[in-house]
Amino acid sequence: GGTKTGEIITRATAPFCKKLSLELGGKNPNIIFADCDLDDCVATTVRSSFTNQGEVCLCGSRIFVEESVLDEFLSRFVEASKKLVVGDPKDSNTTTGALVSKEHMEKVLYYINLAKEEGGNILLGGDHPDFSGTEQEGGYFVNPTIITGLGPHTRCQQEEIFGPVVTVYPFKTEDEVLEYANCVAYGLSSSVWTRDIKRAQRIALRLQAGTVWINCWLVRDLRVPFGGVKASGVGREGGKFSMEFFTEPKTVCMKYA
């Protein structure tokens, strides 16, 4: 659930000394270096940005692109995202459905308007699809939205939107992008795109995130630990980690006569 929900649960359980495992919100960075396989990166970034209308805690909503490849990435990313089909989820051609509620749709639209106030440029989307005269008219749909021009410390880069909205921002150095990636309250997951394995390992070690994907996204084995750091939760689940959380060890000492 969201971090606010986690805070409420933590307060409610504190008097009972209950241990907690909480997987909470995320504002996950997607770091793209110029030496990556750009075809694979763009295709996967469309998925990591807009799967399930962005209502996935692991979506990479903050995209940081090395400056030398920014224009090419944006061109490809926008064109690929235009191919997404918003509509009835029962239609096999649909790739993007409605948001969970009217209240949540209004929250997502609020952040899109806030992005404009903060100086952002809407390269794609930012509005409702036109479903006039169809069954989808009045539904809680928002077009996939790509925003540039917002600094890492703006609200739209800091606060979880949980919708089909991503920001794209350039960087020049490893240290610079690590500062951008780690400057939020959250630390659930992250992605790194590069052919340089040593660089990938350096970045992964310094990222404040429970999961780091290198040249992929949402690749999971249920036996490995899953969870977040900072405001993205406490504890780990998966495989033996789940067993350790959901059971209590007991010590029994016996003296033989």
Side-chain angles (χ1 to χ4, degrees), residues 60 109 157 250:
L109 293 172
Q157 286 250 38
K250 178 185 290 187

Side-chain angles (χ1 to χ4, degrees), residues 144-215:
T145 300
I146 301 171
I147 305 171
T148 61
L150 293 177
H153 298 282
T154 56
R155 286 183 60 193
C156 288
Q157 286 250 38
Q158 291 285 314
E159 300 174 17
E160 185 178 32
I161 299 173
F162 207 66
V165 180
V166 296
T167 58
V168 183
Y169 195 76
F171 70 90
K172 293 181 180 179
T173 67
E174 289 183 21
D175 287 340
E176 182 183 25
V177 75
L178 281 164
E179 192 280 324
Y180 296 162
N182 292 332
C183 73
V184 296
Y186 301 98
L188 186 57
S189 71
S190 57
S191 298
V192 180
W193 290 89
T194 178
R195 286 187 169 96
D196 186 334
I197 298 304
K198 289 185 178 180
R199 169 196 278 159
Q201 292 172 333
R202 284 196 307 271
I203 297 291
L205 286 173
R206 295 175 63 188
L207 281 168
Q208 297 169 4
T211 297
V212 179
W213 283 295
I214 298 172
N215 298 327

